[in-house]
Amino acid sequence: MGWVHNTNATVAKSPVGRWFQLDGSGHPRERKGSYFLTELRAGVAAFFAMAYILAVNSSIVADTGGTCVCNGGPDDPICDANEDYLLCAAEVKRDLVTATAAISALSSFCMGLFANLPVSLAPGMGLNAYFAYTVVGYHGTGAVPYSVALTAIFVEGWVFFALALFGLRQWLARAIPRSIKLATSVGIGLFLTLIGFTYSEGIGLLTGAQSTPLELAGCPSSALDPDTGLCPDGSKMRNPTLWIGIFCGGVLTVLLMMYRVKGAIIAGILLVSIISWPRGTSVTYFPYTAVGDDAFDFFKQVVDFHKITKTLTVQRWDISEYGGQFGLAFITFLYVDILDCTGTLYSMARFANVIDPITEDFEGSTIAYMVDAISISIGSLLGSPPVTAFIESGAGISEGGRTGLTSITTGLCFFISIFFAPIFASIPPWATGCVLVLVGSMMMSAVTEINWRYIGDAVPAFVTIAAMPFTYSIADGLIGGICLYVTLNTLVWLIEKLSGGRIVPPNKAEKDHWTWRVRGGVFPPWMVRLSTGQKTFWREAPLTQSGSDVPGEEEMAKTNPKDSTSRPGAVALQNQEKPFE
């Protein structure tokens, strides 16, 4: 169509087109195939792929109770039935819908504007579960209070900033053994799946038991035995919300994804929610109780700007009595964020074909990491878990997104969603439970890339995977896997040295290669340019190869098949995987 071509050409020749390096802008690093209207369409597609985070993140983090104080007494120590506490927790959930939308809008917009990457950011899945159920705990039963945990995230963001500024973040991410990186993705996937099966944040398929760790559930919450927390045998699998969640939120969503329908996840969530909104039904999310009445009154507003009242700037800086747990939470957030954001950014940059094959870096990488780091700290001020790059950004890239205009559009969509907080705060857990299971299944595909041939890589990876869901802790799984990897491979190294190289495992040649060295150098490109005396060191140097000359993903993988950074981002996207490399 003529108007489409004219619009794209006009914008490309404008200062906007040159800033974002659109095709036809005349910029020396212009990105072939990037057009203004295509970028806008890609940004909307990415938003619909990510929009589920508004409901899921607020529901998960609200399970901590936020800043609410539990006064349930000995009969109700965790305030499962305390009306005042539940009303306060409902207000926290509304705050978190606004906070999630606001930080997603700000971080995605800044990523596009300053880093010029088609990658959007939002509070990370897995990290929010670790924050809610391991660090703070359900209704604040964890080792660290909500306000102290947010302090750890705030500090972590600025540590990230320093690591990104001096290029150490890239080095740290690559220093982690490849098998542990991949196992982290799989373990978090199983962790999310388990959460999706529970009552508090899922469809209620499983519950804790006494004679066995878990037991089949599926009965209405009112039928749970108050002493054991188990479902009577005659009531199992008879909860109507369970089946609505399975078929409308699970089976239907998977079918839509099989046919590559855009926004399949949000469509499933909305369908289950719409079924659950009418009052007076057996599946209503608004029962005739004080909590239900309060939630329904807020829902009826439909369009409203909800002011954050309970989670804004609640950091607590006196951490003396939580020193050990604070440190553990800080290190875990730091480590998982390094793997999560770095892996996703590299995968998406490779999929968008903006990776430099020589340095294995991408244009604007330092700025991208710095935007992510600052977003983490700002998000903590709003009450949100760590922000990270989303693999769902690939939906926008597959629609043709190549520049920061894509993520700017996604950010603007998130900004508009701030004014629909009553809708997103009224999405029931059985609408998002199957989404967690689905996200878990996407993350499982990384298990095929673990080196199962060499037991020194395989066993630490397996321990990492198994320990995360079974201990209900990402941190414990990481610690177990890394410690076992270091122990086994250090012992093998010592035996080999002491024996003069005569005693080695027969198939040691199949071990994943590991080195602390990073091709292209440890320091970021701007520091390298500064060290050579360039006055405009903050500017990117012209590309030595055009985008069309960059080797394809398959060729790069063939060049170094065991290098974790050479794994095809396109394949990762097609598998709907969240890579940790």
Side-chain angles (χ1 to χ4, degrees):
M1 290 183 290
W3 70 270
V4 172
H5 174 76
N6 291 337
T7 301
N8 288 333
T10 301
V11 175
K13 294 175 182 177
S14 69
V16 172
R18 190 169 180 84
W19 176 267
F20 291 105
Q21 304 171 15
L22 295 177
D23 195 346
S25 65
H27 194 283
R29 303 171 67 93
E30 71 177 31
R31 299 180 184 177
K32 299 299 181 183
S34 58
Y35 304 104
F36 177 69
L37 293 179
T38 302
E39 298 291 318
L40 299 186
R41 186 181 72 241
V44 173
F47 169 75
F48 278 105
M50 293 174 60
Y52 71 90
I53 194 63
L54 296 171
V56 177
N57 185 64
S58 58
S59 295
I60 289 177
V61 182
D63 271 352
T64 65
T67 54
C68 301
V69 178
C70 177
N71 294 313
D75 295 332
D76 188 15
I78 59 174
C79 291
D80 266 334
N82 187 283
E83 188 175 286
D84 292 337
Y85 186 87
L86 295 178
L87 287 171
C88 179
E91 185 68 16
V92 168
K93 181 177 179 180
R94 297 165 194 165
D95 285 358
L96 289 165
V97 171
T98 301
T100 303
I103 193 58
S104 301
L106 178 64
S107 57
S108 298
F109 188 92
C110 291
M111 179 66 79
L113 181 62
F114 298 115
N116 196 24
L117 288 173
V119 179
S120 301
L121 289 80
M125 294 296 295
L127 283 169
N128 54 10
Y130 171 69
F131 174 88
Y133 301 115
T134 302
V135 179
V136 183
Y138 177 72
H139 284 189
T141 55
V144 179
Y146 177 77
S147 56
V148 176
L150 289 177
T151 305
I153 296 173
F154 181 84
V155 174
E156 177 226 350
W158 288 109
V159 171
F160 253 15
F161 186 86
L163 293 177
L165 183 63
F166 295 106
L168 296 177
R169 182 172 182 172
Q170 176 185 2
W171 180 85
L172 286 172
R174 297 194 185 182
I176 304 299
R178 180 175 182 269
S179 61
I180 302 298
K181 295 177 188 177
L182 295 169
T184 300
S185 174
V186 179
I188 291 177
L190 290 176
F191 186 55
L192 291 176
T193 300
L194 183 59
I195 293 171
F197 284 152
T198 62
Y199 276 93
S200 61
E201 197 46 56
I203 57 178
L205 181 66
L206 297 175
T207 186
Q210 295 175 332
S211 57
T212 58
L214 296 172
E215 187 172 301
L216 184 69
C219 64
S221 299
S222 57
L224 291 170
D225 187 293
D227 297 324
T228 64
L230 303 179
C231 287
D233 290 338
S235 300
K236 291 181 178 179
M237 303 297 292
R238 296 198 177 188
N239 189 358
T241 61
L242 167 69
W243 294 108
I244 289 175
I246 289 175
F247 284 103
C248 298
V251 175
L252 176 63
T253 301
V254 174
L255 280 174
L256 293 176
M257 293 185 70
M258 289 172 66
Y259 289 97
R260 299 189 178 182
V261 175
K262 299 293 186 296
I265 292 178
I266 196 67
I269 292 175
L270 285 177
L271 178 59
V272 176
S273 300
I274 291 171
I275 294 173
S276 305
W277 283 337
R279 305 192 80 175
T281 69
S282 59
V283 297
T284 184
Y285 186 56
F286 306 113
Y288 290 102
T289 62
V291 175
D293 292 341
D294 179 71
F296 190 67
D297 289 340
F298 182 66
F299 168 72
K300 289 189 295 184
Q301 299 177 36
V302 182
V303 179
D304 178 58
F305 175 76
H306 176 75
K307 184 178 179 181
I308 300 176
T309 58
K310 294 187 177 296
T311 65
L312 187 64
T313 61
V314 296
Q315 277 76 8
R316 177 178 171 183
W317 297 100
D318 181 14
I319 61 172
S320 55
E321 57 183 302
Y322 307 104
Q325 293 300 323
F326 176 90
L328 177 61
F330 168 79
I331 294 298
T332 304
F333 282 135
L334 186 67
Y335 168 75
V336 177
D337 252 336
I338 286 174
L339 296 181
D340 194 350
C341 186
T342 304
T344 303
L345 278 175
Y346 270 87
S347 178
M348 293 299 98
R350 184 171 285 111
F351 188 59
N353 206 16
V354 294
I355 289 283
D356 187 323
I358 305 301
T359 64
E360 294 190 358
D361 205 356
F362 54 89
E363 182 182 350
S365 62
T366 300
I367 296 177
Y369 292 139
M370 290 165 66
V371 168
D372 175 56
I374 294 175
S375 298
I376 289 172
S377 294
I378 295 176
S380 72
L381 296 175
L382 300 176
S384 172
V387 173
T388 189
F390 259 56
I391 196 70
E392 284 82 359
S393 302
I397 296 174
S398 65
E399 284 288 323
R402 293 294 180 271
T403 73
L405 282 172
T406 296
S407 49
I408 284 179
T409 304
T410 304
L412 292 175
C413 290
F414 272 116
F415 176 75
I416 294 172
S417 70
I418 292 175
F419 302 97
F420 291 89
I423 299 296
F424 289 106
S426 301
I427 293 177
W430 54 88
T432 57
C434 283
V435 171
L436 296 179
V437 177
L438 183 58
V439 173
S441 71
M442 294 175 182
M443 299 175 75
M444 282 295 294
S445 58
V447 76
T448 61
E449 300 184 42
I450 294 174
N451 180 21
W452 298 107
R453 300 181 303 276
Y454 182 69
I455 198 168
D457 289 328
V459 173
F462 177 76
V463 168
T464 302
I465 293 170
M468 285 186 185
F470 290 143
T471 63
Y472 215 67
S473 169
I474 296 174
D476 292 344
L478 289 172
I479 292 170
I482 291 174
C483 288
L484 183 57
Y485 182 93
V486 171
T487 301
L488 289 176
N489 288 280
T490 300
L491 288 174
V492 168
W493 179 80
L494 287 174
I495 292 172
E496 182 178 352
K497 293 299 180 182
L498 293 175
S499 66
R502 290 185 293 273
I503 303 177
V504 296
N507 65 334
K508 188 187 175 185
E510 294 182 321
K511 180 182 183 297
D512 273 339
H513 174 69
W514 178 88
T515 179
W516 60 272
R517 296 181 178 88
V518 177
R519 283 187 292 172
V522 173
F523 298 107
W526 71 267
M527 191 174 290
V528 175
R529 292 191 293 270
L530 177 63
S531 66
T532 59
Q534 294 186 27
K535 295 181 179 180
T536 56
F537 63 89
W538 61 88
R539 294 180 182 173
E540 298 281 351
L543 282 174
T544 55
Q545 295 175 316
S546 66
S548 59
D549 295 332
V550 175
E553 299 300 336
E554 294 181 3
E555 287 77 5
M556 291 177 69
K558 290 176 182 177
T559 302
N560 193 357
K562 284 192 175 183
D563 185 355
S564 64
T565 61
S566 296
R567 184 161 59 86
V571 174
L573 179 72
Q574 291 166 2
N575 291 338
Q576 294 296 318
E577 167 195 342
K578 193 158 191 177
F580 279 72
E581 291 152 344

